């Protein structure tokens, strides 16, 4: 059973998600079946929130590197 494979030709998942968000920004990405959240969120909305979180993490990382 040979299960090893090199995936060097495939983009990282965050890049694939961003590309999908550009292609289909208004498609539903996340839905809440329980009814407890303000959903659905579109791919554009999820991508925007992910970028906000990434920027926040980077600012914290830069802050702690100054010590």
């Amino acid at each position: 059973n040979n299960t090893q494979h090199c995936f060097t030709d495939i983009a990282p998942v965050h890049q694939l998600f961003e590309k999908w968000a550009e292609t289909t920004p208004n498609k539903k990405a996340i839905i809440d079946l329980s009814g407890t959240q303000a959903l659905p969120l579109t791919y554009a909305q999820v991508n925007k929130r992910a970028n906000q979180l990434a920027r926040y993490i980077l600012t914290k990382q830069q802050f702690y590197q100054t010590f």
Side-chain angles (χ1 to χ4, degrees), residues 52-65:
Q52 289 172 335
L53 178 60
R55 284 192 295 276
Y56 175 77
I57 290 170
L58 287 173
T59 61
K60 294 300 179 188
Q61 180 183 10
Q62 291 169 356
F63 173 76
Y64 287 112
Q65 287 179 350

Side-chain angles (χ1 to χ4, degrees), residues 7-42:
F7 291 101
T8 58
D9 57 337
I10 297 176
V13 69
H14 70 280
Q15 289 178 357
L16 294 173
F17 190 91
E18 284 185 342
K19 190 66 156 175
W20 189 254
E22 290 173 7
T23 306
T24 58
N26 297 320
K27 270 191 103 138
K28 293 177 185 176
I30 300 175
I31 59 171
D32 178 25
L33 299 177
S34 69
T36 60
Q37 300 291 322
L39 299 175
L41 293 176
T42 65

